[in-house]
Amino acid sequence: MRLYAVKQWISDRVELTTLIAALLVAASIWGFVSVAGEVVEGDTKGFDAEILVSLRNPADASDPLGPRWAEEFGRDMTAFGGTGALVLITVFTAGFLWMQGNRRSMLLVLAAIGSGFLMSQLLKYGFDRPRPSLVPHGSFVYTASFPSGHAMMSAITYLTLAILVARVQTQRRVRAFLISVAVFLTVLVGVSRVYLGVHWPSDVLAGWTAGAAWAVGWWMIARWLESRGAVEPEATAADDFDANRPAPRSPTI
């Protein structure tokens, strides 16, 4: 009986989606702290080196596994996490929200991604981990290694844009599509960084967890601001995939 009362008290005060989001943020932060702790103590060296070397030709460490087009594809994918690409995508999405009349949501998007970029740079500066030197780099790099800026910023940018833009979409399938694409691109960007030899796998794992925590955290901020009328309300999602399909006509006799 007491357990039911506690459950009822929580359900009366906290929405299920908000509770799940809070758990995701907590899990992501725990994941980042765990990986960071292992990195600082040097416990990821064997794991990182094994994966990095396994993606190279045993006879030539400068040659990533697979045909030449696979290496070119890796460079194409890593470009999706580059600063230039993320800035353009953010600006285009902000313009979309502006034209839709969701101007406060637009400001929220810009604040979330701008502050995320600052956090990424501060973390890199704080940990100051050297880049991998086991294999030649397949892409030019000029910052510290931990966490992966491409992995973290792609997670922050794509997930934040998908989650916050999905708020103003009425169809559930559109929301699911946006978030699925964001997750897919984020994974591809992170994998490409390891494949090109410019990041340790633990750098990418840390970037993913930090970026996910940041994106979901800003979604929670959006919900909080919405409850106070500071941003546009979330659109009501349609449950039926065919909600917009006209009803069939009655047969004529």
Side-chain angles (χ1 to χ4, degrees):
M1 182 63 71
R2 289 183 179 179
L3 181 61
Y4 174 80
V6 171
K7 180 180 177 182
Q8 189 64 36
W9 183 87
I10 294 175
S11 63
D12 290 342
R13 290 161 177 79
V14 182
E15 293 184 5
L16 179 61
T17 52
T18 302
L19 181 60
I20 294 174
L23 292 175
L24 285 175
V25 172
S28 297
I29 293 175
W30 176 84
F32 176 82
V33 172
S34 297
V35 174
E38 296 292 321
V39 168
V40 171
E41 294 174 1
D43 294 336
T44 63
K45 289 182 179 180
F47 163 79
D48 284 332
E50 183 177 355
I51 293 181
L52 203 62
V53 172
S54 69
L55 295 175
R56 296 285 163 150
N57 185 341
D60 183 6
S62 65
D63 181 25
L65 288 179
R68 291 295 180 185
W69 64 260
E71 186 174 350
E72 192 63 25
F73 180 76
R75 293 192 185 94
D76 292 340
M77 292 303 99
T78 207
F80 279 105
T83 302
L86 295 179
V87 167
L88 288 176
I89 292 171
T90 301
V91 170
F92 293 152
T93 305
F96 167 75
L97 291 172
W98 176 277
M99 288 187 292
Q100 277 204 324
N102 300 308
R103 298 179 180 178
R104 286 175 288 180
S105 293
M106 178 202 72
L107 294 175
L108 189 67
V109 164
L110 295 177
I113 296 176
S115 59
F117 177 78
L118 178 61
M119 177 58 65
S120 174
Q121 297 305 305
L122 289 174
L123 288 173
K124 280 182 172 290
Y125 178 79
F127 286 98
D128 196 27
R129 187 187 194 186
R131 294 276 179 167
S133 58
L134 289 177
V135 298
H137 295 170
S139 179
F140 179 74
V141 291
Y142 51 89
T143 59
S145 191
F146 186 92
S148 167
H150 277 65
M152 181 173 175
M153 284 310 303
S154 61
I156 287 175
T157 303
Y158 293 127
L159 291 178
T160 297
L161 292 179
I163 291 172
L164 295 184
V165 172
R167 291 183 64 256
V168 296
Q169 302 302 313
T170 57
Q171 296 188 34
R172 292 188 185 277
R173 57 179 171 178
V174 174
R175 295 183 176 188
F177 175 77
L178 290 172
I179 295 174
S180 298
V181 169
V183 172
F184 183 67
L185 286 175
T186 299
V187 170
L188 283 181
V189 169
V191 171
S192 72
R193 302 304 282 172
V194 179
Y195 180 72
L196 294 175
V198 294
H199 270 297
W200 303 105
S202 55
D203 297 336
V204 172
L205 289 175
W208 281 339
T209 54
W214 198 265
V216 178
W218 273 92
W219 176 83
M220 295 177 66
I221 292 175
R223 292 289 294 254
W224 179 75
L225 291 174
E226 177 190 344
S227 67
R228 284 156 177 75
V231 296
E232 294 84 3
E234 182 173 353
T236 302
D239 292 322
D240 188 359
F241 275 42
D242 299 320
N244 295 325
R245 181 179 297 177
R249 298 180 179 179
S250 301
T252 56
I253 301 177

